[in-house]
Structure formats: structure tokens, C-alpha cells
Amino acid sequence: MTQNIAVLGTGLMGAPMARNIAAGGYQVTAWNRTAAKARALADAGISAAQTPAEAVEQADFVISMLSDGKALLALLEEEALQKALRPGTLWIDMSSARPGEARAAAERLLGIDVGFIDAPVSGGPGGAEAGTLAIMAGAAPEDFEKARALLATMGRPTRVGPVGAGQLAKLANQAIVGIAIAAVAEATLLLERGGADPAGVREALRGGFADSTVLQLHGARMQQRDFTPGGPARLQLKDMENVLSEAGELDLPTVRQTRDRYARYLSELDGAERDHSGLFEELLDLNGLLTR
Amino acid sequence: MTQNIAVLGTGLMGAPMARNIAAGGYQVTAWNRTAAKARALADAGISAAQTPAEAVEQADFVISMLSDGKALLALLEEEALQKALRPGTLWIDMSSARPGEARAAAERLLGIDVGFIDAPVSGGPGGAEAGTLAIMAGAAPEDFEKARALLATMGRPTRVGPVGAGQLAKLANQAIVGIAIAAVAEATLLLERGGADPAGVREALRGGFADSTVLQLHGARMQQRDFTPGGPARLQLKDMENVLSEAGELDLPTVRQTRDRYARYLSELDGAERDHSGLFEELLDLNGLLTR
């Protein structure tokens, strides 16, 4: 029997994800705050609902792709939605939220016998369209097995622990990327000042221990002084703040130093809307070498 | 006509490199301070020379794979060697040395009309045996073209700038690896303390922006608390020191912080001969969580 999927939030990410779910043979009902965005999916056989409650009332699974965890928790407070959800439904939140927000959502839904998975993604709109998102799922093992085929229509799902662990994995991802940018910035400056060709070095290091997408992609942006986002530094700073907030008493010195430098990039160098690889500009400024 | 290659230094790296050169159709003469190691290559059709001078006297190319730049410069002082080198020979030093030592060697050889390339490698003994080393060459373009086919018998050569740039690229490589280890350590600790499964997260992040050999390989060592080297922390610290020394007046804050932490790992936590991923232990100690 065809399973019914409610997709809540069909923006830049949610829309292509809904299309991939429908293409996978599921019956999809979509809701979006700006209703036109949900209606625009009609050509893929996706019904548009007027309210979240209407979207979820027949759903076997709910997929939410909202702006953040606050938006998720606010939605779950709606009485009409709570009444519309059927016991046994599994709610999969694919937004980026805080681990504590994921756990709070799970607890809220437990009371009405609705399961919960936090499954944030990495890969951006390109990955969403191609159906190649990395999906980090925090879930009970049996819930993950139930959701696996559905998640696989959108990308590559991996269970990384219990509820909340998906969001924690996403934070770990962001921390590694932010620090990798700092490392590649320092390597690039060293090479430029020493008369080596950073593009040649990136090519030479391809496939080795120092290689990464950050080296190849963000390293090229640094060399070309092209800081058109991409991922804006403002969001990278927010990510680093969230990592430290989640870490609580834990001391993570490299995250801390990188967070401070992103903060300086925004406050002193107007970096908020520049690409996160613009941390290279902060490094140049630190060395009295920044010219714009 | 078959070209003659002198290989000076046939240790853990030099021996398999000499074998791959011979397998590539070159006539190889090897010299090693411990002569037995050069004689052990006879089965590959490689002649053993008694002295460096004897090794190089017929050479079109000299490949040196020594312990460091000091050993290279000391060798170049030997009068017999200088007399034995033919004008037009090209000397390729594949040892890890400092960029300034590479430039000094080039200048020394220029006086007797012998060209010079610094071409340090990444990939270790495994890469040397498989002939898949990443070879970072600092060279005049015409010298690099002359050497390309020979270098290709040992791995993947890329020109990264003029003489000295190969060694600078190797330092950039080491800086990125050291900082990546710090990043993966902090991500791993965050995940463990938050109840996520670091192995699941490494799998989830495979192929994405945060992925790297360091995440997969060193991340697993951290989770397993297995710090058998691999690359000892002592050498990683020396690399970070060399990066900062080469940077001179340049401020590289992430390299600096990581250097200080490796120094503390050695001085306070007996980390010298443990794997460089042991920086995770320094992080645990910083947080009062280290148990051995």
C-alpha cells in the first residue's frame, strides 16, 4: 500500500526533497507558510495542504524542513496539528536545530504516540536536487529502519545515535569545516608569501592526508580572492557559537579560537555576508596584508 | 639510450623508490651509508656503489633520499662528489628539508653546472612501494619537464613553483594535517560526550565537506584510543615548528595554537612516540578526562 508523506516546509531544500520523495513512489502532501511554494509542486503529483494539520492527518511519515528548531517547537504547539497527527506516525525533522530542541520535540510527540527522528542534512540545494544529501539520523534503531527507505529517496542516511545525535553530528560537521578553513587559509598565505603556487600545491596534495573539499574549493576561493557566498560567514559564526554552547563545560580550544576569529571578521571587517572562506581576509588583516 | 640514475639513500623510502625507477627501464646505481642496504637491491638489476662519488659519476639524474637537509648539504660539501658530477646532470632531492636548504643546495650545484629540484613526497613507505607518492616539485619549468618521466615511476609529480617551493608545499601539507587532527579531536570529544556514535558520524560525513583521511583514519584511532604510531607526535611537533620558523614574521594563529598543544603533549603527557592523533589525549587531559 502506498504510504502517505507530509512535507512541512518546501523552500530551497524542502521542495526538491519533496519531489524526490514523490519520485520514489510515495503519496506526498505538502504545506508551506507561503502557500504558492507548495502548490508549485503539483506537476510532481504532490497535493498542497492549507494548514500543517491538514497535511499530516493521513500521514504515515511527517518530514519537516523548517528554518530552525524554534520553528519546529512552535509548530508542535499548535493544537490542531496535535489533534490531526495519528498515533504511530513517525516525524522526521530534517531542519538544522539544536540537539536539545530535537529531544524536546521527541518528548512532546511521545505523549501523543508519535515517533521522532532528527535527521539534518549536509549537501545544500545541489545535494537536495540530486538526491545525494548526507543524512545524519538520531533515532531509535527500529525507527531508523522504518524510515530508511523513505530517507534513501533524498540521499544517504546513516544512524549516528539516539534522538539528538543527528543534530550533534551536524554541529561536529560544521566545526570541522570552520577549522579546516582556518588551516587552509594559513597554508595558502604561507605558500603565497614563500613564492609557491597554491593551485599547484592543491593539485599535488589531491588524494593525500591533507586533501579535502575545503582545500580544493575554499582554497581556490582564497587564492582568487573571491568571497561571494556560498555559505556566508554569518552562518559559520552561528554554527561555531552553537558548537560551543552545546559543548557547555567542555573546552574545545581550536573551535574557540576559530569562533573568535569569525566574530572579528564580522565585527571589524564587514564579513557577515561574505563566504566563510573569507576567514582568509581576517588572516590577511591580522598580518597587515588585507587590501580590498 | 638508457639513462643512468644514481640513488643516494636506500632506506625505508629510498629502496622501494629505487626499485620502481629500475622497473621503469632506467639503469640504477645505488649508494647507502650502510652498504648492505644498497647491495640488497641487486635482484632488481641495481648496482651498488662504494661511495656517493662512484654512484654519480655516470649519472644523468641523481635522486637523494636522506634524513634531512643538513645531510644533503653535508654530502654536497664532499670534494670527490663534486668532481664526479658531470655538468648537465640534474639532482633531485626527495628528502624532507627546509626551503632555505633546498635553495642553498641549488646554489651550490649551480657553480658546477648541475641543476636542482626539491621534490619531497607524501605517502610514506606504502606509497613508495606502490609507486603512488604525491611528489611536490620545486623546479625551473624546463628542469621539471626533463625530470617528469623519471619522477612518474615513483608517483604523481606536480610542479608547485621554483626551487624551495616543493619543501614549502610539504610544510603546508603538514600544517593542514596537524590542524585537521585538532579539529577531528574536538569533534570526536563533542560527539562522545553528547552520546553520539563517532563511527556512525564518520560514515555519515563520508564524501562531504568535513570529510578527509584524517577524519576517517585518525578519527577511528581516537575513538579506539589506539595511539600506536603511524606518524609520531614528535615529528608532527617538529613539522609545526618548521612551519612557524619558515613563516617568520607571519602570524599563523591556528598553527601556533596547535604547535603549543603538541609541545604540551610531549612535555607533560609523554606523547613523543605516540601517534600524532594522540593530540586527542592532550584534549582529554585539558578537560580532566584523560585516563590511561
Side-chain angles (χ1 to χ4, degrees):
Chain A
M1 213 185 83
T2 307
Q3 290 185 301
N4 289 309
I5 316 294
V7 177
L8 308 181
T10 53
L12 211 56
M13 296 291 293
M17 288 160 67
R19 286 180 182 276
N20 283 328
I21 296 169
Y26 296 90
Q27 183 58 50
V28 179
T29 305
W31 169 83
N32 195 71
R33 202 163 289 277
T34 307
K37 289 189 185 172
R39 286 197 301 268
L41 300 168
D43 63 307
I46 296 173
S47 323
Q50 295 300 312
T51 64
E54 186 193 325
V56 307
E57 65 190 3
Q58 299 297 325
D60 300 295
F61 296 89
V62 179
I63 303 272
S64 52
M65 193 63 183
L66 306 168
S67 54
D68 55 22
K70 275 200 196 78
L72 172 68
L73 291 173
L75 189 62
L76 292 181
E77 286 308 305
E78 290 185 13
E79 208 175 322
L81 178 88
Q82 288 175 28
K83 286 196 174 142
L85 281 165
R86 303 188 305 181
T89 296
L90 187 53
W91 187 302
I92 306 170
D93 180 49
M94 304 184 76
S95 327
S96 285
R98 303 194 40 175
E101 292 169 331
R103 287 188 290 266
E107 201 165 331
R108 194 82 187 78
L109 289 167
L110 190 63
I112 52 173
D113 200 20
V114 169
F116 183 85
I117 294 178
D118 55 307
V121 301
S122 169
E129 273 162 41
T132 58
L133 293 167
I135 303 171
M136 298 156 258
E142 61 274 21
D143 286 342
F144 181 69
E145 288 313 319
K146 246 173 92 178
R148 188 198 286 273
L150 171 59
L151 291 172
T153 63
M154 294 171 274
R156 200 169 53 82
T158 311
R159 182 177 176 270
V160 297
V163 168
Q167 297 297 350
L168 198 63
K170 177 89 197 253
L171 287 178
N173 180 80
Q174 305 303 82
I176 291 172
V177 169
I179 295 170
I181 286 173
V184 169
E186 294 177 27
T188 300
L189 182 58
L190 179 73
L191 291 168
E192 285 189 356
R193 301 298 286 185
D197 169 27
V201 174
R202 289 194 300 275
E203 183 52 37
L205 301 188
R206 202 179 282 276
F209 273 33
D211 196 19
S212 66
T213 304
V214 170
L215 175 65
Q216 298 298 336
L217 186 65
H218 297 72
R221 290 178 191 162
M222 293 174 197
Q223 190 179 3
Q224 291 151 17
R225 307 293 195 269
D226 178 3
F227 303 111
T228 315
R234 160 179 67 76
L235 290 183
Q236 182 73 55
L237 174 60
K238 191 181 134 196
D239 289 334
M240 302 309 266
E241 297 282 9
N242 286 341
V243 171
L244 288 175
S245 156
E246 199 57 35
E249 296 290 295
L250 277 184
D251 186 8
L252 305 179
T254 321
V255 174
R256 192 162 27 83
Q257 189 189 56
T258 308
R259 186 268 318 260
D260 291 350
R261 294 179 54 213
Y262 271 109
R264 195 177 85 83
Y265 184 47
L266 265 69
S267 64
E268 295 182 21
L269 301 167
D270 199 24
E273 298 304 331
R274 298 167 82 83
D275 190 67
H276 52 167
S277 58
L279 193 65
F280 185 65
E281 293 192 305
E282 194 276 342
L283 179 67
L284 288 174
D285 180 73
L286 200 61
N287 285 283
L289 296 169
L290 181 61
T291 51
R292 277 181 181 165
Chain B
M1 213 184 86
T2 307
Q3 290 185 300
N4 290 308
I5 316 295
V7 177
L8 308 182
T10 54
L12 212 57
M13 296 292 293
M17 288 160 69
R19 286 181 182 278
N20 283 327
I21 296 169
Y26 295 89
Q27 182 59 50
V28 179
T29 305
W31 168 82
N32 194 72
R33 202 162 289 276
T34 308
K37 289 189 185 172
R39 286 196 302 268
L41 299 169
D43 64 308
I46 295 173
S47 322
Q50 296 300 311
T51 64
E54 186 192 325
V56 306
E57 64 190 4
Q58 298 297 323
D60 299 295
F61 295 89
V62 179
I63 303 274
S64 52
M65 193 61 183
L66 307 168
S67 54
D68 56 22
K70 276 201 195 78
L72 171 69
L73 291 173
L75 189 63
L76 293 181
E77 288 307 305
E78 290 185 14
E79 207 176 325
L81 178 87
Q82 289 174 27
K83 285 197 176 142
L85 281 165
R86 303 187 306 181
T89 295
L90 186 54
W91 188 301
I92 306 170
D93 180 49
M94 303 186 75
S95 327
S96 285
R98 303 193 42 174
E101 291 168 332
R103 288 187 290 264
E107 200 164 333
R108 193 84 186 77
L109 289 167
L110 190 62
I112 52 174
D113 200 20
V114 169
F116 182 85
I117 294 178
D118 54 308
V121 302
S122 169
E129 274 162 40
T132 58
L133 293 167
I135 303 171
M136 298 155 260
E142 61 275 20
D143 286 343
F144 180 70
E145 289 313 320
K146 246 173 93 176
R148 189 197 286 271
L150 170 60
L151 291 172
T153 64
M154 294 172 274
R156 199 169 54 82
T158 311
R159 181 177 177 270
V160 296
V163 168
Q167 297 297 350
L168 198 64
K170 177 91 196 253
L171 287 178
N173 181 81
Q174 305 303 82
I176 291 172
V177 169
I179 294 169
I181 286 173
V184 169
E186 293 177 29
T188 300
L189 182 59
L190 180 74
L191 292 168
E192 285 190 356
R193 301 298 286 184
D197 169 28
V201 175
R202 289 194 299 275
E203 183 52 37
L205 301 189
R206 201 178 283 278
F209 273 35
D211 196 20
S212 65
T213 305
V214 170
L215 175 65
Q216 298 298 337
L217 186 66
H218 298 72
R221 289 179 191 162
M222 292 174 197
Q223 190 180 4
Q224 292 152 16
R225 307 294 195 267
D226 178 3
F227 302 111
T228 316
R234 159 180 65 76
L235 290 183
Q236 182 73 55
L237 174 60
K238 190 181 133 197
D239 289 335
M240 301 310 265
E241 298 282 8
N242 286 341
V243 171
L244 288 174
S245 155
E246 200 57 35
E249 297 289 296
L250 277 185
D251 186 7
L252 305 179
T254 321
V255 174
R256 193 162 27 84
Q257 189 188 56
T258 309
R259 186 268 319 261
D260 291 351
R261 294 180 53 211
Y262 271 109
R264 194 177 87 82
Y265 185 47
L266 266 68
S267 65
E268 295 182 23
L269 300 167
D270 199 24
E273 298 303 331
R274 298 168 82 84
D275 189 68
H276 52 167
S277 58
L279 192 65
F280 185 66
E281 293 193 304
E282 193 276 342
L283 179 67
L284 288 174
D285 180 73
L286 201 61
N287 284 284
L289 297 169
L290 181 62
T291 52
R292 277 179 181 166

